[in-house]
Amino acid sequence: MSNVPRVVATEAARALLARLRAKHGEILIYQSHGCCDGSTPMAFKPTELNLGKDDLRYGEIDGTPLWMGRTQVDYTLGTQLILDVGQGSLGTFSLEDGEGQHFKTTSRAWTDEEYAWLEQHPLA
């Protein structure tokens, strides 16, 4: 089995990421670890967010890294994250706030084959 991506994106999310990169340059996504809307993925310029020792690079979409805290990683290890877009602003500090859209994630469970590959390739 080849590389199993821990995060993938819908075409709508990929298009929004492309617009944000064209407008702001290099960006990253941080999957926050609050509850409800507090666990929304947010886009930042790298200089706008201080990543800590417990933040892990969970995956990448078209060159844009997605980071999350170790606690959130532990919570999501059994699923693949799917980055998508919803309509309307959530009033966050995320770069897409002025675009009339917001990022959101859904997930799906791994197949047995995918899970076996991921166990052999843990996040650092």
Side-chain angles (χ1 to χ4, degrees):
M1 169 169 264
S2 62
N3 186 12
V4 176
R6 288 178 170 84
V7 61
V8 295
T10 64
E11 287 302 316
R14 293 176 75 200
L16 181 53
L17 283 172
R19 280 197 315 275
L20 293 174
R21 283 191 306 267
K23 188 175 185 179
H24 300 285
E26 185 181 353
I27 61 172
L28 63 87
I29 300 290
Y30 190 83
Q31 176 68 45
S32 65
H33 42 36
C35 71
C36 308
D37 282 343
S39 59
T40 260
M42 294 188 283
F44 297 99
K45 295 178 187 179
T47 57
E48 294 178 324
L49 184 66
N50 292 323
L51 295 169
K53 63 179 176 57
D54 288 327
D55 292 316
L56 299 173
R57 187 178 173 134
Y58 195 72
E60 183 178 297
I61 301 160
D62 298 338
T64 300
L66 184 138
W67 291 81
M68 70 174 76
R70 184 172 302 279
T71 303
Q72 189 76 355
V73 167
D74 292 344
Y75 179 73
T76 60
L77 278 179
T79 61
Q80 181 180 55
L81 289 183
I82 304 162
L83 186 68
D84 200 359
V85 172
Q87 295 304 307
S89 170
L90 294 180
T92 67
F93 296 109
S94 189
L95 291 174
E96 82 280 0
D97 191 58
E99 302 288 321
Q101 296 180 305
H102 63 274
F103 287 113
K104 62 183 182 176
T105 53
T106 57
S107 60
R108 72 161 183 90
W110 299 115
T111 65
D112 290 342
E113 185 180 36
E114 289 170 330
Y115 192 77
W117 186 90
L118 290 162
E119 282 188 319
Q120 297 299 312
H121 300 87
L123 290 171

